[in-house]
Amino acid sequence: MIQDRARVGETEYGYFDEAAREYVITRPDTPTPWLNYIGEGRYGGIVSNTGGGFSFDRDPRNRRVTRYRYNSVPVDQPGRYVYLRDQETGEYWSPTAAPVRRDLEAYECRHGTAYTRIASRYRGIEAEVLYFVPLGPADEPAPCELWRLRLRNAGPGPRRLRSFSYAEFSFPDAFNDLTNLDWAQHIVFSSYGDGGVIRVGTKFKPLSFFFGSSQTPAGYTCDREEFVGRGRDLANPIVVETGVPTNAPSPRGNSVGSLVHDFVLEPGEQRELVYVMGATEAPGEIGRVVGRFSDPAEVEAALRAVREDWAAYLARFSVETPDADTNAMLNFWNPVQCRTTLYWSRFVSGYETGLGRGMGTRDSGQDTLGTMHAVPDRARRMLTRIWTMQFADGHTWHQFFPLTGEGGPGLAAEYPEWPQWFSDDHLWLVIAVCAYLRETADFDYLEETVPYVDRAEETVWRHILRAVDFSLANLGPHGLPRSGFSDWNDTLNVDHGSGRAESVWTAMQFCRAMLDLAELCTRIDRLEEAGRFGSLHVSMAEAINRSCWDGGWYLRAFDDDGLPIGVAGAEHQAIDLIAQSWSVIGEVATPERADAAMAAAHDRLNTRFGLALIWPAYDGGDDRVRGISTFVPGAKENGGIFCHANTWSIVAAAMLGRGDQAYAYYRQILPLARTDSDVYKAEPYVYAQNVCGPAHPSFGLARNAWLTGTAAWTYVAATQWILGIRPTYEGLRIAPAIPASWPGFTAHREFRGTAYEIDVRREGPGNAVALVVDGAAVEGDVVPLPPAGTSTVSVRVSLR
Ligand code: GLC
């Protein structure tokens, strides 16, 4: 109904193919590289719509397999390339459109679930390259990725073709690879040997990379400089231009995986070749792995297994609403992005290089929220991993490297005289554990023991208590949590060593955490503690209402001198979005204040592309807030449309029962609804972290797609708050806040082993719910837990 385009998500550059569940990119010249991820959070990497991208094994900093030249011109290089050369005419091209940019006669890239397929036609040759990582056990000794090349002669006469692969290997420590060139390049070497495989390694580490294929190569090149030739680049490498490989090892310098294969294709004939690239400490395994994928049936079966794994993940929840874009996001791209953020946090993307940040404790804590209904074990493991980053005083490291376990304070390290902790990190864990328990009822989790960074192990429950204690031990003059280096907003740096600056928003987050804990304690019969957490909520909410209401909306913070930030009349940051939405989410505001705060935010911050984070933006460095004021007006946290923060306004609007407003906020940041790719620029199928705000000349431009808390939180906002399907300890709650114009929706939701078939019909203008469960009327809005073993429950919901 809402859909006015022929195909969902259709822009000048592509569309979403609902039947195939693939975003189809129809032109190679997208405004930015439009990316996909391959792999299951271990071995894998990034693939762009022109074959650009790179690979790594579990850790993009410490086990980088191939290189990527970030921030380069041309953008997006190098990648997993194949060159094709017509052996009669000498003409050559790239079937993935890069790096040899010929005018392909046909081109199409299909991004699916952890696989990408790029197909093209040039001078009568149809080519398709498919990239993916086969599933494997967690301890797979030689994890690998596959590139399957298919060629077909669509022309009238026979053709003689020669193919050349190109993968550019990194030194495994990607930081050294960039910064210590003489050293790294005197260390890495490669050669061709057994089974037609190129092996890349060093003398001092057991790790090696390999590049093989399903057919014995006709030649090979191991050295990048020799492959490219002097005065040339990847668009016209000498080896491809002449058609003659070096057939020599690379004793030093830059190693590449370039294998040569010859094809004679009769008219209509099709041939297939599979490249196998991977990393291993067990060189004896390489032959087995390459051999396995020399069988086309194995490749096909491995692809099927990847697709089935994702299909099973996606099948836990599906919905049919009147909005086709919403359906495509909720049934496919949003959960795909949620799983990807669970895998990679903010570590490695088209914007995050995989060198610096590692996984964020706050980020990954929030990422679990979008996946715990579908992969609860994985979400639980992630939470446990993050608890190991907690100190005995209750705060956590801000970030960590998943493979080495090295933790750190992130950006705070640059300012050692400022607090080295963040006021929100540990509280996200509390909120996430409560969400996990509501979803799974896995209360044993609270008894699992986990070590601290600086102390022996204790139960998860004790970790939670220490998290609460940390906040309580660090209150400022108004009784609010001290801000630390920052709160959720990394760039709001208000404590410059005074120890007195406070975060109003963290106080609201603390309120939410206390409510969640009180509810949990009631459920597990820890009534005294339930009472304590309930009182902590009340006293913190009182402190906020006493000192942080400026007459029209909630303040955002207090600086070193106790002066407020986010107050009416201020020249900059007079109002901050998240202090308004969280006054509702933390159940801090009275109904009158909630109305006023939400209206103030709407009036001052809303735009057609979403809600700006602050208004007015800073225009030059401001010593009170530092980071945020370093951006130009309208960028990122400085008055940009921070999509992650928009999701909380959706939740708050839905909590207030305002279905129209919640949906309007949802829809205005929905990437598939953005048809203006030349303005938006980023991938239209996944959320971006930020969109330039109204104060910016590039208003509407999106940046930092894929790895953002927007993924998990829009998923929660849409499924649990707009559609209203929320796990509770007592059963599945169905309390929709949908637009008045929607006649209803249907949904399939798996919850604790039972499938709920939900049919919501609007029978009146309001949100009052009448439930009929398996034919019988039920009081309230919670579908009671069915007897163990029940496979399906059918729920009919009337909205009145
Ligand atoms: C980035 C960071 C995240 C932070 C947000 C707001 O997305 O990864 O940790 O909360 O910015 O500053």
Side-chain angles (χ1 to χ4, degrees), residues 346 352 357 362-363 366 398 424 487-491 636-637 642 644 689 707-709:
R346 311 293 169 267
E352 299 292 352
R357 272 179 85 147
R362 85 147 70 95
D363 301 315
Q366 292 172 83
H398 188 58
D424 63 324
D487 58 25
W488 168 84
N489 184 338
D490 268 334
T491 66
K636 297 260 288 186
E637 286 93 335
F642 217 86
H644 186 166
Q689 181 213 61
L707 299 187
T708 160

Side-chain angles (χ1 to χ4, degrees), residues 727-749:
T728 75
Y729 295 118
E730 291 75 39
L732 198 59
R733 169 164 286 137
I734 305 178
I738 55 173
S741 62
W742 279 17
F745 67 89
T746 59
H748 163 94
R749 169 58 148 98

